[in-house]
Amino acid sequence: MLTSVSWLIRAVAYALFGTDLFSHRAYGPVEHPAVAIAYGLSGVLLVLWALLNVGDGGTSAQRTTVLALLASISGAVAVQPGATTLVGVGFIATIDAGTGIRRAEGWCVFGAGALAAEVGLLFSSADPKAAQGVPLLFAFALLAGFNRRSYRVQAEQSKALLDQAERLRSEQRRVAVLDERTRIAREIHDVLAHSLGALGIQIQAARALLTDHQDTDRAIDVLTTAQRMASDGLSETRRAVHALRTDTPPLAEELARMAATHEQRHGSTVTLTVVGGAKPLPPDQALALVRTAQESLTNAAKHAPHRPVTVDLRYGDQDVTLTLTNPLGRGTPPPAEPLPDTPDGPDTPDAPGASPAGRATGFATVDGGYGLTGMRERLLLLGGTLDAGPAEGRWNVTARVPRNGRAAA
């Protein structure tokens, strides 16, 4: 659209130049045919110039040649008395050349026009001082072209930067979606691991009551509890997904709720202690500590059933530390190197802490070895740490996260 308007303006200007040249001027027997021929050639070159701009725009050499001829013809004739108006054609050509990709194109057209004007003075009766204005007009046109070129280059660079920024925003949106999917998958996994682990304990208890004690009534009670746990686990999963986009409850409040639930389900005493000023934590930090507490309580219920659990939450100036301890019971895993996350991790019901055939245990949990190892990886991403192992007859799990929410470098 802009190109069409530009060529329409050039055509109108060419017509106005011709009207001024032949309607208000009286030329001699030599000047009149010279002006007429120059005007006609200029029109032909304008048409050729327009054709070169159709399609691929022609080569740079072709374009420069046409513009240089326009400037030369108009410059040579414009110095003749009464034909100054024709310099407008060369003026337009020089401006367009100055806006080209290469500055040399503009200088070539300007040089051709200025040189033709000086040569035209040799065959003109015009005052040389008055005719010097023609090269000055070409110089002004060249500067105007260079300015247009600068604006065009800046516009192209701005467009490229906007395109790059849009691609960057698109990539950031894609990464955000992938991060959100990863968070959802991790939260669902952790919640299900906790719920299914506790559910497995109840099923094992029901099986033992039926096979070892033939106590059907108590087995039914245990299975009823297991059914309730399955329903609670589904609700917990929905709540976890919902919590990804909403504010999580205060950490101490959430730990108190978990402690009460653990006492109700497993009959173990849970003592919660909170030390220091309870300032809000970033959601990721708080959620990581909650998941660590869930995993540790589930392990305590399996490996040290009916034994008291101590939960200690300490708010420091730089970090927050959560420590869960319970007396070593039957099957409490001894310290060792963490196992890889495989389905065949140490999780034997009878003696989960044993190490038959030299098989090491450590961070072994109810979900086949992933639990505390997964928690450790989560805390590392947040710049925190996780330590787990026996000390002085107790099994200790200590999680620490920074309060500023910055991940480790």
Side-chain angles (χ1 to χ4, degrees):
M1 181 62 183
L2 292 178
T3 301
S4 300
V5 172
S6 175
W7 279 104
L8 179 60
I9 293 174
R10 291 169 184 170
V12 172
Y14 179 75
L16 293 176
F17 295 155
T19 301
D20 183 73
L21 284 172
F22 300 108
S23 298
H24 308 289
R25 300 287 187 271
Y27 301 105
V30 177
E31 287 84 359
H32 189 278
V35 172
I37 292 173
Y39 182 76
L41 286 176
S42 297
V44 173
L45 291 172
L46 282 172
V47 173
L48 182 58
W49 181 16
L51 293 176
L52 288 176
N53 282 274
V54 177
D56 59 0
T59 64
S60 177
Q62 291 173 338
R63 182 174 179 273
T64 303
T65 300
V66 171
L67 295 177
L69 288 174
L70 274 171
S72 299
I73 293 172
S74 65
V77 177
V79 296
Q80 306 302 320
T84 307
T85 305
L86 194 60
V87 76
V89 177
F91 189 89
I92 295 174
T94 305
I95 289 179
D96 192 85
T99 61
I101 298 177
R102 297 183 301 176
R103 289 182 179 269
E105 182 178 340
W107 285 110
C108 288
V109 175
F110 164 74
L115 180 62
E118 297 301 325
V119 173
L121 282 174
L122 299 176
F123 305 95
S124 172
S125 59
D127 183 3
K129 293 183 179 180
Q132 291 300 321
V134 173
L136 291 176
L137 286 174
F138 283 136
F140 180 76
L142 181 64
L143 291 177
F146 284 163
N147 285 334
R148 285 185 60 193
R149 178 181 181 274
S150 298
Y151 288 130
R152 179 174 58 83
V153 171
Q154 290 178 359
E156 291 175 352
Q157 291 176 345
S158 298
K159 183 178 182 300
L161 289 175
L162 288 175
D163 292 341
Q164 184 178 4
E166 181 60 31
R167 289 194 298 269
L168 180 60
R169 283 193 293 269
S170 178
E171 185 66 18
Q172 288 175 338
R173 288 192 294 267
R174 189 182 71 85
V175 171
V177 170
L178 293 178
D179 288 344
E180 184 70 6
R181 290 177 180 175
T182 301
R183 290 182 62 199
I184 292 174
R186 179 181 294 164
E187 293 309 314
I188 292 177
H189 170 273
D190 292 343
V191 172
L192 289 180
H194 168 74
S195 301
L196 294 178
L199 186 61
I201 295 175
Q202 297 297 318
I203 294 176
Q204 289 179 5
R207 183 178 61 182
L209 289 171
L210 290 174
T211 58
D212 299 340
H213 304 284
Q214 288 80 39
D215 192 340
T216 305
D217 294 335
R218 290 184 60 192
I220 291 175
D221 292 338
V222 172
L223 290 176
T224 301
T225 302
Q227 182 180 6
R228 186 179 66 253
M229 286 182 176
S231 178
D232 292 344
L234 180 59
S235 300
E236 182 73 13
T237 302
R238 291 171 178 168
R239 193 174 68 87
V241 175
H242 178 70
L244 292 173
R245 295 181 175 85
T246 58
D247 295 333
T248 56
L251 180 58
E253 178 182 327
E254 186 69 12
L255 292 177
R257 184 192 66 81
M258 293 169 55
T261 302
H262 184 83
E263 290 181 344
Q264 179 183 5
R265 290 179 178 176
H266 303 289
S268 301
T269 301
V270 180
T271 303
L272 174 63
T273 303
V274 179
V275 179
K279 296 182 180 179
L281 277 176
D284 288 345
Q285 266 76 351
L287 197 57
L289 293 179
V290 168
R291 295 294 176 247
T292 302
Q294 283 183 333
E295 185 69 29
S296 300
L297 289 174
T298 301
N299 287 341
K302 178 173 183 178
H303 299 298
H306 308 296
R307 306 297 296 274
V309 180
T310 300
V311 181
D312 183 74
L313 179 64
R314 294 182 178 271
Y315 289 91
D317 294 334
Q318 302 297 328
D319 51 30
V320 177
T321 304
L322 175 67
T323 303
L324 295 96
T325 64
N326 60 270
L328 290 174
R330 181 185 62 84
T332 303
E337 294 297 326
L339 284 176
D341 301 339
T342 62
D344 299 327
D347 190 23
T348 56
D350 296 331
S355 303
R359 183 178 64 178
T361 60
F363 290 159
T365 60
V366 296
D367 61 337
Y370 177 82
L372 289 179
T373 300
M375 292 299 100
R376 181 174 181 273
E377 294 173 354
R378 177 199 288 262
L379 291 167
L380 286 176
L381 291 175
L382 299 174
T385 59
L386 177 69
D387 297 317
E392 299 179 358
R394 299 180 67 84
W395 180 260
N396 303 313
V397 177
T398 302
R400 182 178 292 104
V401 295
R403 299 189 65 160
N404 55 16
R406 290 179 297 179

